[in-house]
Amino acid sequence: MKQFIQPKREKTVFSIGGRGHYENPISDVMAFYLDPSEEHNFGTLFISSFLKVLGKSLEIIEESPIEKIEREAVTLSGNRIDIVAASENWVLVIENKIYHSLLNPLDDYELYVKAKYPNKDHILVVLSLNGLSVIPDNWNNILYQELIEEIKKQAGPFMFTSSNAKWSFFLRDFILNLEELIGEQKVDKQLMDFAQKKL
């Protein structure tokens, strides 16, 4: 059982506030960093990281940059989409899953996007800590681990410049919080597997 004892973790702003595992605060921060026009001065770091993980060309950002970020976009049926990032030619839809199962009406989300952005390329993503086994074929499942690794690869030129030192610190805390959630999930799964084998 010693292998399942986790080392003491570094505290983050999120863990101090006790809301580091809630989807809404994480989605709020994600939407902030996705918006190139925000004051963080990280430009397209987050959106290009998403597209890189999806295997899409980053030229689409240059040809058609993000014009609008929506949080909790309300569909015609009253459901709420976590994040919608729209450009002139494409729209990225993100359903954020931390701990909960995927019970969201993804078909309703698609209807909303098709109605509101009919002539755009729709990029549909479920972002999760663990791979989800059942999602529609036209939706992509991105793991937080994949996204974090790509953000770290691309973040070098942006980190700790005089214009965004505060937001660099906050980004580091945000990533650290997500990595801790990923670690907890892995240990929980290993512990469950261990218990099932021993019982």
Side-chain angles (χ1 to χ4, degrees):
M1 291 297 289
K2 287 181 181 177
Q3 64 183 309
F4 300 112
I5 298 172
Q6 297 186 62
K8 187 175 179 180
R9 295 184 192 87
E10 180 181 343
K11 288 184 179 178
T12 68
V13 171
F14 298 91
S15 62
I16 291 169
R19 298 193 176 274
H21 61 284
Y22 287 100
E23 287 175 6
N24 276 335
I26 290 174
S27 294
D28 288 339
V29 176
M30 188 72 66
F32 170 75
Y33 279 110
L34 275 168
D35 189 345
S37 67
E38 273 288 3
E39 64 181 70
H40 51 69
N41 289 327
F42 278 94
T44 59
L45 171 63
F46 265 62
I47 192 68
S48 62
S49 296
F50 262 103
L51 295 174
K52 202 88 186 281
V53 171
L54 288 166
K56 297 202 174 277
S57 169
L58 300 187
E59 289 178 5
I60 69 171
I61 301 172
E62 296 169 12
E63 295 166 1
S64 181
I66 290 178
E67 297 173 342
K68 182 180 181 184
I69 300 277
E70 284 184 88
R71 270 285 290 124
E72 298 282 310
V74 181
T75 70
L76 294 174
S77 301
N79 296 304
R80 295 178 182 275
I81 305 172
D82 289 327
I83 302 172
V84 177
S87 80
E88 184 180 353
N89 299 327
W90 53 271
V91 58
L92 173 67
V93 177
I94 302 170
E95 176 55 35
N96 185 21
K97 300 312 298 177
I98 300 298
Y99 286 132
H100 303 291
S101 300
L102 184 62
L103 302 174
N104 306 77
L106 299 183
D107 54 344
D108 183 41
Y109 295 0
E110 285 185 64
L111 289 173
Y112 167 84
V113 172
K114 285 175 182 174
K116 187 164 183 180
Y117 305 102
N119 301 315
K120 299 186 181 187
D121 182 22
H122 302 143
I123 306 168
L124 309 171
V125 173
V126 176
L127 178 62
S128 63
L129 290 179
N130 298 308
L132 300 170
S133 55
V134 181
I135 64 168
D137 290 339
N138 51 337
W139 283 76
N140 302 277
N141 190 191
I142 291 181
L143 298 181
Y144 264 105
Q145 187 65 49
E146 297 172 304
L147 181 62
I148 288 169
E149 286 172 9
E150 193 56 46
I151 289 169
K152 285 179 172 179
K153 279 183 201 172
Q154 297 192 46
F158 300 101
M159 296 305 281
F160 299 106
T161 66
S162 58
S163 63
N164 69 352
K166 175 173 78 171
W167 297 116
S168 297
F169 171 81
F170 193 67
L171 175 59
R172 181 190 173 279
D173 236 28
F174 181 57
I175 289 174
L176 182 60
N177 179 66
L178 291 171
E179 287 176 332
E180 288 174 0
L181 294 176
I182 293 165
E184 286 172 7
Q185 287 274 40
K186 284 180 181 174
V187 169
D188 288 346
K189 185 179 183 313
Q190 289 168 349
L191 187 55
M192 287 293 293
D193 292 344
F194 176 81
Q196 287 174 347
K197 286 176 186 173
K198 299 297 179 185
L199 295 177

